């Protein structure tokens, strides 16, 4: 029986059709349409990596200046409308993505391309540039679904300790998150819709956690109160990258991009938490408090450093970061997240205030390290503070809302909102202090 071919909703753009037939003409001497195609395609590829509108526009401007053009761009979450002027003519185009995601490895290569463009624009043709961009575009996932599952398992297992869980919850969350994220990656590779991927992966994570807990109860006599960690098994789905980049975009008055990113992040949170809540009702799980760990302050500090490192490293791998980049983000995340937790415990600072200072420290450390490493700043800063996004608070808010405990739900929502606001603000102030280009509205 013949298979039905799916007609794509977004038509493919034949970028090489924009190039001139003169194989010796460098891009700096090419017609306006050919120059604009390189600018637009580079911007669209940067947008596909998950970076914010300010960075996309800045890169497009860099290319336009080298080609003697003026570029004006309106950038959203999945689309760009831009116009290039050469003093006599104008070329306008609308470009759209089929989906969005995070790919820090591709982002790193694209930023290198933009940085080297001044040297290559006078000797490479438009055809050669598009061929080079073809090669960069082929940078999909560096890791298999199995490796991404292990990365999520490591991240959520570490996250469990940071939220107050013990070794039992950590092990169970490790298996739940690992299988849940592996399922999500397999579904995503088949281009299934976001709603389906999110719902099925969260359900799988909760089922695995509950199943492993039941086996542990029957075979090892594990306390049923260890069910508290089932929330941690689905935290790999929390969209920390769009949450944080939305705040940065809105700080630069890129309101369209900022609001679209925020809406996208909220949509994922609602889908994931609703799926987890329904699974909790079906499996009779409740978000009870974790059992006390009875550790000394020194032990807490040491274990927080270790688990923060592992958590950030796992999230960085999930963002397709090369291992050196993931290690860099993990070191910065270990320092800043442990500082955040100690500010709450030792200085009695409100969690949102502690999150602001920790994010600012992460931003300052990333800015200092960027000068020596060459890695994109956002590829270091965002993974290093994603572990601070209050996924547990958001889940408890939805759970209590579903149970009609409205006052408790409002309290969790308020706490989560303050922390989510504080994280990008911390990065913004760090960027203001270290980047004079970011400091001005021009």
């Amino acid at each position: 029986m013949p298979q039905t071919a799916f007609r794509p909703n977004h038509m493919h753009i034949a970028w090489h059709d924009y190039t001139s037939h003169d194989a010796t003409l460098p891009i700096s001497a090419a017609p306006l349409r050919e120059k604009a195609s390189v600018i637009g395609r580079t911007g669209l590829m940067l947008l596909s990596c998950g970076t914010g509108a300010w960075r996309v526009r800045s890169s497009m401007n860099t290319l336009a200046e080298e080609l003697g053009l003026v570029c004006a761009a309106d950038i959203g979450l999945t689309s760009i409308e831009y116009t290039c002027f050469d003093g006599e003519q104008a070329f306008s185009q609308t470009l759209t993505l089929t989906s969005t995601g995070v790919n820090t490895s591709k982002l790193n290569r694209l930023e290198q391309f933009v940085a080297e463009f001044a040297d290559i624009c006078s000797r490479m043709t438009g055809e050669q540039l598009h061929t080079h961009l073809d090669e960069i575009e082929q940078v999909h996932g560096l890791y298999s679904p199995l490796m991404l599952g292990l990365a999520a398992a490591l991240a959520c297992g570490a996250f469990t300790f940071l939220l107050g869980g013990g070794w039992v919850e950590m092990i169970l969350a490790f298996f739940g998150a690992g299988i849940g994220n592996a399922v999500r990656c397999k579904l995503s590779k088949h281009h299934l819709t976001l709603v389906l991927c999110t719902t099925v992966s969260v359900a799988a994570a909760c089922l695995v956690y509950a199943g492993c807990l039941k086996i542990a109860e029957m075979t090892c006599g594990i306390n049923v109160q260890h069910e508290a960690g089932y929330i941690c098994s689905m935290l790999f789905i929390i969209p920390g990258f769009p949450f944080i980049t939305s705040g940065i975009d809105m700080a630069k008055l890129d309101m369209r991009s900022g609001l679209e990113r925020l809406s996208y992040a909220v949509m994922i949170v609602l889908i994931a938490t609703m799926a987890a809540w329904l699974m909790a009702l079906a499996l009779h799980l409740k978000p009870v408090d974790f059992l006390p760990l009875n550790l000394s302050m020194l032990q807490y500090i040491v274990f927080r450093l270790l688990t923060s490192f592992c958590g950030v490293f796992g999230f960085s791998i999930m963002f397709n970061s090369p291992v050196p980049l993931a290690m860099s983000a993990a070191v910065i995340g270990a320092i800043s997240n442990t500082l955040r937790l100690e500010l709450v415990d030792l200085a009695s600072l409100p969690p949102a205030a502690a999150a602001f200072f920790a994010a600012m420290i992460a931003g300052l450390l990333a800015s200092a390290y960027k000068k020596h490493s060459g890695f994109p700043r956002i590829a270091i800063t965002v993974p290093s503070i994603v572990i601070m996004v209050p996924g547990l608070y958001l889940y408890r808010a939805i759970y209590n809302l579903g149970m009609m405990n409205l006052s408790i739900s409002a309290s969790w929502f308020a706490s989560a909102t303050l922390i989510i606001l504080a994280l990008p603000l911390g990065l913004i102030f760090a960027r203001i202090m270290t980047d004079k280009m970011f400091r001005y509205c021009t």
Side-chain angles (χ1 to χ4, degrees):
M1 190 173 179
Q3 291 185 344
T4 303
F6 290 98
R7 182 181 180 184
N9 191 245
H10 294 265
M11 298 182 72
H12 176 71
I13 296 177
W15 291 108
H16 290 270
D17 290 350
Y18 287 88
T19 59
S20 75
H21 298 291
D22 188 347
T24 63
L25 196 66
I27 189 65
S28 56
L32 172 62
R33 190 181 77 154
E34 187 171 349
K35 293 178 179 178
S37 71
V38 173
I39 296 169
R41 186 182 184 186
T42 303
L44 191 68
M45 289 174 65
L46 281 163
L47 191 64
S48 72
C49 298
T51 192
W54 188 85
R55 173 55 60 197
V56 174
R57 184 180 293 104
S58 176
S59 298
M60 293 175 72
N61 289 345
T62 299
L63 269 59
E65 289 169 0
E66 295 298 334
L67 296 175
L69 305 179
V70 174
C71 180
D74 184 25
I75 302 166
L77 173 67
T78 59
S79 64
I80 299 175
E81 291 84 39
Y82 76 105
T83 301
C84 289
F85 307 87
D86 65 358
E88 296 179 357
Q89 296 178 309
F91 178 88
S92 297
Q93 195 171 30
T94 298
L95 304 172
T96 58
L97 297 169
T98 57
S99 62
T100 185
V102 181
N103 190 329
T104 55
S105 177
K106 186 188 291 187
L107 175 61
N108 187 32
R109 297 193 190 192
L110 283 168
E111 290 214 348
Q112 290 176 359
F113 171 77
V114 173
E116 297 167 357
F117 190 76
D119 297 327
I120 63 177
C121 68
S122 61
R123 54 185 173 84
M124 291 185 72
T125 66
E127 179 70 23
Q128 290 171 329
L129 286 170
H130 279 299
T131 300
H132 183 47
L133 290 172
D134 286 341
E135 295 170 358
I136 297 176
E137 202 162 29
Q138 297 307 310
V139 180
H140 295 299
L142 297 177
Y143 309 100
S144 65
L146 175 61
M147 290 301 297
L148 292 173
L150 288 173
L154 179 66
C156 291
F159 214 154
T160 304
F161 176 82
L162 296 170
L163 292 172
W167 65 270
V168 174
E169 291 91 346
M170 292 173 68
I171 293 173
L172 296 176
F174 181 93
F175 287 110
I179 293 175
N181 196 47
V183 168
R184 181 178 68 155
C185 294
K186 292 292 288 185
L187 294 176
S188 297
K189 282 199 169 187
H190 289 85
H191 306 290
L192 294 173
T193 183
L194 174 70
V195 176
L196 180 62
C197 292
T198 302
T199 304
V200 172
S201 60
V202 168
C206 292
L207 275 173
V208 171
Y209 188 100
C212 291
L213 176 61
K214 193 65 178 177
I215 293 172
E217 285 178 24
M218 293 188 299
T219 58
C220 306
I222 294 295
N223 192 324
V224 71
Q225 194 170 349
H226 290 297
E227 71 182 30
Y230 82 93
I231 304 168
C232 305
S233 67
M234 46 79 68
L235 292 180
F236 63 89
I237 210 75
I238 297 300
F241 223 97
F243 258 139
I244 293 163
T245 52
S246 70
I248 296 173
D249 278 348
M250 284 189 278
K252 295 296 293 181
L253 297 184
D254 279 310
M255 301 305 293
R256 177 191 166 194
S257 176
L259 292 173
E260 287 183 14
R261 287 173 185 276
L262 181 61
S263 300
Y264 171 75
V266 170
M267 180 181 71
I268 293 178
V269 167
L270 290 177
I271 294 169
T273 51
M274 284 294 291
W277 173 57
L278 293 174
M279 290 301 299
L281 293 179
L283 299 171
H284 305 290
L285 300 171
K286 295 181 180 179
V288 294
D289 293 331
F290 290 104
L291 294 170
L293 297 181
N294 299 319
L295 298 175
S296 68
M297 184 54 64
L298 179 60
Q299 289 174 321
Y300 265 118
I301 292 173
V302 171
F303 287 134
R304 282 170 174 172
L305 282 168
L306 289 173
T307 51
S308 295
F309 179 91
C310 292
V312 174
F313 181 81
F315 279 119
S316 295
I317 295 297
M318 288 168 61
F319 296 149
N320 202 42
S321 299
V323 172
L325 175 54
M327 294 284 285
S328 305
V331 171
I332 292 173
I335 295 169
S336 56
N337 190 52
T338 303
L339 173 65
R340 174 182 70 92
L341 295 172
E342 299 311 317
L343 285 173
V344 173
D345 288 351
L346 300 180
S348 300
L349 215 60
F356 170 82
F357 288 115
M360 186 169 64
I361 293 298
L364 293 173
L365 291 174
S367 296
Y369 180 69
K370 179 186 182 298
K371 297 176 182 178
H372 303 287
S373 67
F375 290 133
R377 184 187 280 103
I378 196 170
I380 305 172
T381 54
V382 175
S384 68
I385 68 169
V386 160
I387 202 167
M388 304 179 196
V389 174
L392 176 65
Y393 289 18
L394 292 169
Y395 172 75
R396 288 193 169 183
I398 294 292
Y399 180 91
N400 284 286
L401 182 64
M403 303 305 292
M404 290 293 110
N405 297 323
L406 300 184
S407 60
I408 299 174
S409 174
S411 177
W412 284 112
F413 263 128
S415 298
T417 301
L418 286 173
I419 295 173
I420 290 171
L421 288 172
L423 291 173
L425 276 176
L427 289 184
I428 289 163
F429 274 91
R431 191 73 175 270
I432 287 171
M433 287 187 281
T434 58
D435 187 350
K436 65 181 180 180
M437 293 298 294
F438 191 86
R439 196 175 303 153
Y440 297 98
C441 62
T442 55

